[in-house]
């Protein structure tokens, strides 16, 4: 048996040795030590602000849509664990990967027929970019190498994804000049229901037309820009992108890593616009938050183009590609989602967030309160005091992770009405004190 470690021991070792997301070394603020999680609750190893448990308002960054320790997902993991947790994917295949790929093809827009199982969201974006660049090389247009996106986006932390993250507001400002230079359109005008702005649509068309001969693809998050600023835009701009890409021989990539699996009220955000991309990335909620897994889907035209090229293979193959454990849980998670009235559950959460967060609009320093699907956002007119806002939420018994000028929540779909009210109260408290 390993030596027992007290919570104090663990936190001291954590501070000394363990990197956390976007953190310094050693860490400045102590993380909360989680002992276990069940349903929508995180159980702390020691009480904080007199709370032994916190209602999770974050779904572990969009992923735990069914909550924690779910019996159906536990069974899927256990069952697969007893058969095999992993085998290599080169030269071998297995039922969990095949089933998952078929299911993803069935539930995503019709032209997407082929699936690359990647090990995380960022890797799925790397693969999407590689697919597009390799496609153009294969069909004799090797100059088409650059990407176009709009400002305010987030596509992950590895190199190609970083190059299409927001160049100013994001965390990647530091790397200007080192990253591949991509083409940035203005951020889409805000508002899911806002009437589309003709001048902005013309701006998108003009940029795509002007750079067509060097553009491999346009990559965007459809409808909701997540970690780049939690903003919503009209689905009409996705139709503009689709038409301009078709007119100028440019591929269209939708990054649905945050928006996929019902979060915006549609199974995939592309459905709000009735637009199919050429390439689509999913991740985050793909495994219901159990294990890391991403997927890149593409059309038959792209797959054919690559497979007829000078290097007639898609040159990518991570060690843990198609991990059976993750694939089995992902398939069970999608099954679980589709077997219930998830549309109604997301609508219920949307209504609860609208009602519960409305009072925040009159808090001094709040610029805007916005809700779409199971996403609630408060934008301040100043940078949030992260520590004060987090503490205020914890005092209300809720886990939130504010950033920049934003306090936001995307609760698990299983969140009951009482817990939802509690999350809203905590979001308002965080806005007041942050
Ligand atoms: C989180 C996220 C990614 C990166 O996924 P990881 O699994 O963290 O690598 C990419 N795109 C979007 C839209 C995301 O929200």
């Amino acid at each position: 048996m390993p030596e027992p470690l007290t919570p104090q021991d663990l936190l001291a070792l954590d501070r000394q040795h363990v990197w956390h997301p976007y953190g310094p070394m050693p860490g400045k603020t102590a993380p909360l030590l989680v002992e276990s999680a069940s349903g929508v609750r995180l159980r702390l190893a020691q009480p904080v602000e007199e709370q032994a448990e916190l209602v999770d308002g974050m779904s572990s960054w969009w992923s735990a849509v069914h909550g924690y320790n779910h019996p159906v997902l536990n069974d899927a993991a256990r069952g697969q664990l007893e058969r095999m947790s992993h085998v290599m994917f080169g030269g071998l295949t297995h039922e969990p990967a095949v089933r998952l790929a078929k299911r993803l093809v069935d539930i995503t827009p019709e032209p997407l027929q082929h699936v690359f199982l990647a090990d995380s969201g960022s890797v799925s974006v790397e693969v999407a970019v590689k697919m597009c660049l390799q496609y153009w090389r294969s069909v004799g247009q090797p100059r088409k190498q650059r990407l176009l996106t709009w400002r305010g986006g987030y596509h992950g932390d590895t190199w190609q994804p970083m190059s299409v993250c927001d160049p100013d507001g994001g965390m990647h400002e530091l790397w200007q000049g080192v990253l591949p230079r991509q083409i940035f359109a203005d951020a889409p005008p805000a508002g899911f229901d806002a009437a589309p702005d003709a001048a902005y649509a013309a701006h998108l068309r003009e940029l795509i037309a002007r750079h067509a001969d060097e553009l491999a693809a346009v990559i965007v998050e459809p409808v909701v820009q997540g970690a780049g600023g939690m903003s919503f835009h009209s689905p009409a701009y996705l139709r503009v992108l689709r038409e301009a890409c078709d007119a100028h021989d440019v591929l269209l990539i939708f990054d649905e890593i945050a928006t996929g699996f019902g979060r915006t009220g549609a199974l995939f955000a592309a459905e709000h616009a009735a637009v199919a991309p050429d390439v689509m990335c999913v991740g985050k909620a793909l495994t219901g938050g159990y294990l890391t897994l991403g997927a890149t889907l593409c059309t038959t035209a792209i797959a054919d183009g690559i497979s007829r090229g000078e290097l007639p293979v898609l040159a990518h193959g991570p060690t843990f590609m198609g991990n059976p454990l993750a694939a089995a849980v992902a398939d069970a998670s999608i099954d679980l989602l589709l077997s219930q009235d998830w549309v109604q559950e997301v609508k219920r959460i949307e209504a609860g967030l609208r009602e519960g967060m409305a009072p925040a609009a009159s808090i001094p320093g709040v610029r805007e309160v916005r809700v779409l699907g199971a996403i609630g956002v408060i934008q301040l007119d100043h940078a949030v005091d992260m520590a004060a806002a987090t503490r205020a939420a914890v005092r209300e018994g809720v886990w939130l992770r504010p950033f920049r000028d934003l306090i936001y929540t995307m609760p698990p779909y299983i969140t009951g009405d009482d817990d939802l009210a509690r999350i809203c109260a905590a979001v308002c408290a965080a806005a007041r004190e942050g």
Side-chain angles (χ1 to χ4, degrees), residues 302-319:
I302 292 180
D304 279 356
I306 291 171
S307 309
R308 280 190 271 109
E310 52 171 320
L311 177 67
V313 297
L314 177 63
H316 209 95
T319 307

Side-chain angles (χ1 to χ4, degrees), residues 12 15 24 403:
R15 188 178 130 74
F403 76 111

Side-chain angles (χ1 to χ4, degrees), residues 22 61-62 119-125 154-158 161 221 224-227 255-259 281 283-284 292-294:
Y22 313 110
W61 275 335
W62 313 81
D119 20 14
S120 72
S122 298
V123 173
S124 79
V125 174
Y154 176 79
H155 297 283
D157 290 347
T158 60
E221 294 157 279
V224 175
Q225 293 183 296
D255 177 347
E256 293 246 16
I257 292 167
T259 50
C281 299
K284 289 200 161 99
T292 176
L293 186 69

Side-chain angles (χ1 to χ4, degrees), residues 391-408:
R391 205 176 325 110
V394 168
R395 241 183 265 123
E396 300 284 330
V398 173
W399 174 240
L400 298 176
R401 182 78 175 156
F403 76 111
R404 278 163 50 182
D405 54 353
L406 301 163
I407 296 158
Y408 67 112

Side-chain angles (χ1 to χ4, degrees), residues 262-314:
R263 183 56 69 178
T264 68
L267 193 56
F268 295 100
E271 294 172 14
H272 290 295
V275 157
D278 302 295
V279 178
M280 178 166 148
C281 299
V282 294
K284 289 200 161 99
L286 175 58
T287 63
Y290 265 54
L291 289 148
T292 176
L293 186 69
T296 314
L297 291 96
C298 75
T299 61
T300 298
I302 292 180
D304 279 356
I306 291 171
S307 309
R308 280 190 271 109
E310 52 171 320
L311 177 67
V313 297
L314 177 63

